[in-house]
Amino acid sequence: MKDTISNTVKHWWIPLVSGFLFIFLGILVFKTPVTSYLALTIFFEIGFLVTGILQIVYSISNKAVLTNWGWGLTSGIIDLFLAILLFANPGLSAAILPIYIGFMLLFRSMLGIGYSVDLKQWGVQEWGWILFGSILGVIFSSLMIMNPAFGSLSIVIYTGLSIVMLGMVQISIALSLKKIKKEIKDDEVLEAHPI
């Protein structure tokens, strides 16, 4: 199994890039006043477009090792669909946008739960933090979906928290995958050159 993981956990940096992009978007949500919330749709459109493409590439290139690769592929396709929908309808109201974002974040958080299970099977000790962060993402995104009319400030807070949490989960996944790949390479060097 180690050979499979070593050869197929390619592009571990893709979730890292996605994670930093989501954290950047989350910070923009906090810094942008509610009155200009619609201006964020451009950033979300670009963010969803880039992360959708990256998630599709990552899922396809790692389908031999990730048991949940199909969910990752689906997530990337949903992100692309959402980006196209937002580009086609720039006048989406602030009341509708949090629902779309809530569903996307809910799906990605559930995907993070699946990744944490994979990481646990690979012996990564940090899998619990990824699971915890993903569960928090499910909670925040569910609150956004169930009650998007909380008011502008609540929507901004839930959106920002959910996106930052998702970014932290993506970064944790990437660093865990990098650690796995390094440990396997170290083991291969020891096997090739015993002391």
Side-chain angles (χ1 to χ4, degrees), residues 15 18-27 30 104-105 108-110 112 128-141 144 157-173:
S18 296
F20 281 119
L21 183 58
F22 276 119
I23 289 174
F24 174 73
L25 289 172
I27 290 169
F30 285 121
M104 186 278 305
L105 293 173
R108 283 196 167 270
S109 296
M110 293 191 325
W129 288 107
I130 295 169
L131 178 64
F132 176 73
S134 297
I135 290 171
L136 284 179
V138 168
I139 292 168
F140 285 126
S141 59
M144 288 175 59
I157 290 169
Y158 287 139
T159 302
L161 286 175
S162 297
I163 292 173
V164 168
M165 186 65 61
L166 175 62
M168 291 177 3
V169 167
Q170 290 285 92
I171 290 170
S172 294
I173 289 169

Side-chain angles (χ1 to χ4, degrees), residues 74-140:
T74 304
S75 174
I77 292 169
I78 288 172
D79 283 354
L80 280 177
F81 174 75
L82 181 59
I84 292 167
L85 182 66
L86 291 173
F87 276 120
N89 300 301
L92 285 176
S93 71
I96 294 173
L97 187 60
I99 295 171
Y100 287 125
I101 294 168
F103 276 112
M104 186 278 305
L105 293 173
L106 177 64
F107 187 80
R108 283 196 167 270
S109 296
M110 293 191 325
L111 183 63
I113 292 171
Y115 280 137
S116 70
V117 171
D118 281 340
L119 293 172
K120 180 183 179 188
Q121 291 174 351
W122 293 340
V124 175
Q125 293 177 355
E126 296 84 9
W127 71 271
W129 288 107
I130 295 169
L131 178 64
F132 176 73
S134 297
I135 290 171
L136 284 179
V138 168
I139 292 168
F140 285 126

Side-chain angles (χ1 to χ4, degrees), residues 35-106:
T35 55
S36 64
Y37 187 72
L38 284 177
L40 284 175
T41 58
I42 289 259
F43 292 111
F44 285 118
E45 292 164 3
I46 294 168
F48 291 143
L49 181 67
V50 171
T51 57
I53 291 168
L54 291 175
Q55 185 67 38
I56 289 169
V57 169
Y58 176 77
S59 298
I60 291 172
S61 66
N62 289 297
K63 69 181 180 178
V65 71
L66 296 175
T67 56
N68 295 313
W69 75 272
W71 288 108
L73 179 64
T74 304
S75 174
I77 292 169
I78 288 172
D79 283 354
L80 280 177
F81 174 75
L82 181 59
I84 292 167
L85 182 66
L86 291 173
F87 276 120
N89 300 301
L92 285 176
S93 71
I96 294 173
L97 187 60
I99 295 171
Y100 287 125
I101 294 168
F103 276 112
M104 186 278 305
L105 293 173
L106 177 64

Side-chain angles (χ1 to χ4, degrees), residues 145-183:
I145 293 167
M146 291 188 297
N147 199 353
F150 247 114
S152 300
L153 183 57
S154 295
I155 291 170
V156 169
I157 290 169
Y158 287 139
T159 302
L161 286 175
S162 297
I163 292 173
V164 168
M165 186 65 61
L166 175 62
M168 291 177 3
V169 167
Q170 290 285 92
I171 290 170
S172 294
I173 289 169
L175 295 177
S176 295
L177 291 173
K178 180 182 179 187
K179 182 179 176 182
I180 290 169
K181 193 162 185 117
K182 182 184 181 320
E183 287 174 2

